[in-house]
Amino acid sequence: VFYSEGKSYWPIFRGIIKIILKVSDLNIVFITSDKKDPAFNHENTRFKVYLTDEKYVRRWLFANLDANLVIMTMPDLNKDNFIRSKYKGHYLYIQHGLVSLHMAYRFGAFDYFDSIFCAGPHHVNEIQLIEKLYNLPKKKLFKHGYARFDLLFSKRKKINSKTKIKCILFAPTWGEKASIESGIANNLIEKILLLGYKIIFRPHPESYKSSYLKIKKLLIKYSHNKNFFYDKNISSMESYISSDALITDWSGSAIEYSLALKKPVIFLDLPKKINNQKYLDINIEPIEISIRNKIGIIVNIQDITYELITSLETKKINIDNIVYNLGNSDHYGAKYILEILNYKSLK
């Protein structure tokens, strides 16, 4: 059983599901909380898709789910309204970003999973240290990679890294102190448009849940500007490809954007996205902190000028030590899942 919070997560599951259906006779149930999930368009007699809510029905459903293996990108298992089933089953977490696991996620977010797919070495190190520090049962850690990164990396050769910046992607993260929620987004969009650039506004899926009215006000204000574009197709990577530079706050998309596409990044100097106040207990600097100056520049909105944007350059960094199985994560994901199920494994 796969569970998806919404359509933006389909690119993470799609490749793995296709391989499993091709090389095995296993049946897959795909449960989603989004009626527009692309999974509904995937036709296979052994692939069934069902819709649930994100509240009481989902809680009951997963509490009574009888499955050999449950796979998801949503953390916080056994918290709030998302609990493990009363039936014995194996729970696997797949990364939906490259950020570290101890600052951006809540305390104990991964404690109740049996296995973790790790996008890079930093995830392995973080989980192992968390287990040691809090005396937790050891989970099975797999060197998986990251499908969304693979997708973007495959587009790299089609992009001219020296292209003059004409279009800027604004993709903030979510949270109380993030760009949209704090009101900074309005000032940023207004400034970029006044400087004469095109801007693509791509809110995080979680911001639609907590700040829908603020997003709606921005769309009403700027939708008539010919240089303002709104990317509501969050399962697509088109805005990443068509833009020339990225502006964000603490979104993990910056890591993907810079390393996979070799495009410049501007970080807004806003407070860290801290969902775990105990993150300093883990004596590893989160990658979203350590990598900021290596892949982009950090500025205040008032420091963003035409001269600064025209001088942007992509910073070179070795990605081999950051992401596992570059370009081949789907194969390894399917391979590991078959191993968990004691099915004939892929080579």
Side-chain angles (χ1 to χ4, degrees), residues 158-223:
K158 300 179 182 180
I159 297 168
N160 183 355
S161 60
K162 296 182 180 179
T163 299
K164 181 180 178 181
I165 294 176
K166 298 178 181 179
C167 180
I168 296 173
L169 172 62
F170 176 39
T173 190
W174 62 279
E176 182 181 351
K177 299 178 181 179
S179 300
I180 295 174
E181 289 79 356
S182 66
I184 296 294
N186 176 62
N187 299 335
L188 187 280
I189 293 172
E190 184 174 56
K191 182 155 195 176
I192 296 302
L193 290 173
L194 287 174
L195 289 174
Y197 292 99
K198 295 178 180 178
I199 185 168
I200 302 173
F201 179 44
R202 183 184 172 99
H204 191 283
E206 290 296 323
S207 291
Y208 288 100
K209 301 176 184 178
S210 61
S211 304
Y212 174 75
L213 292 179
K214 290 184 178 181
I215 294 174
K216 187 176 180 179
K217 287 181 179 179
L218 290 172
L219 297 180
I220 292 173
K221 181 175 181 179
Y222 295 108
S223 60

Side-chain angles (χ1 to χ4, degrees), residues 98 118-122 143-146 149-150 153 156 255 258-260 262 287 291 316-328:
L98 292 173
C118 299
H122 59 294
K143 297 179 180 179
H144 173 221
Y146 185 36
F149 191 94
D150 289 350
F153 189 80
R156 172 189 281 196
I255 306 175
S258 174
L259 301 187
K262 285 190 174 180
I287 191 173
I291 206 169
K316 296 181 179 180
I317 184 170
N318 181 10
I319 63 177
D320 295 335
N321 298 322
I322 297 176
V323 185
Y324 289 130
N325 301 314
L326 184 59
N328 208 21

Side-chain angles (χ1 to χ4, degrees), residues 55-217:
K55 296 182 179 180
Y56 305 112
V57 175
R58 186 181 69 181
R59 179 182 175 86
W60 178 90
L61 176 64
F62 277 88
N64 294 278
L65 190 64
D66 188 4
N68 300 98
L69 177 62
V70 182
I71 304 167
M72 64 190 74
T73 60
M74 191 170 87
D76 298 319
L77 184 62
N78 266 16
K79 296 178 182 290
D80 300 332
N81 66 338
F82 197 73
I83 61 176
R84 288 183 65 123
S85 171
K86 63 184 180 182
Y87 298 103
K88 185 178 181 180
H90 193 101
Y91 283 74
L92 166 65
Y93 181 82
I94 298 182
Q95 305 298 330
H96 63 268
L98 292 173
V99 299
S100 286
L101 306 180
H102 55 302
M103 185 174 82
Y105 295 93
R106 293 197 294 176
F107 180 78
F110 309 99
D111 291 356
Y112 290 94
F113 287 94
D114 301 295
S115 295
I116 305 285
F117 273 8
C118 299
H122 59 294
H123 286 157
V124 173
N125 295 335
E126 290 156 8
I127 288 293
Q128 288 179 339
L129 192 52
I130 289 171
E131 291 173 344
K132 181 178 180 181
L133 181 64
Y134 298 113
N135 194 29
L136 299 171
K138 289 188 177 181
K139 288 169 280 295
K140 180 68 175 178
L141 305 181
F142 293 92
K143 297 179 180 179
H144 173 221
Y146 185 36
R148 198 189 302 272
F149 191 94
D150 289 350
L151 176 62
L152 289 173
F153 189 80
S154 69
K155 307 290 185 181
R156 172 189 281 196
K157 293 181 180 179
K158 300 179 182 180
I159 297 168
N160 183 355
S161 60
K162 296 182 180 179
T163 299
K164 181 180 178 181
I165 294 176
K166 298 178 181 179
C167 180
I168 296 173
L169 172 62
F170 176 39
T173 190
W174 62 279
E176 182 181 351
K177 299 178 181 179
S179 300
I180 295 174
E181 289 79 356
S182 66
I184 296 294
N186 176 62
N187 299 335
L188 187 280
I189 293 172
E190 184 174 56
K191 182 155 195 176
I192 296 302
L193 290 173
L194 287 174
L195 289 174
Y197 292 99
K198 295 178 180 178
I199 185 168
I200 302 173
F201 179 44
R202 183 184 172 99
H204 191 283
E206 290 296 323
S207 291
Y208 288 100
K209 301 176 184 178
S210 61
S211 304
Y212 174 75
L213 292 179
K214 290 184 178 181
I215 294 174
K216 187 176 180 179
K217 287 181 179 179

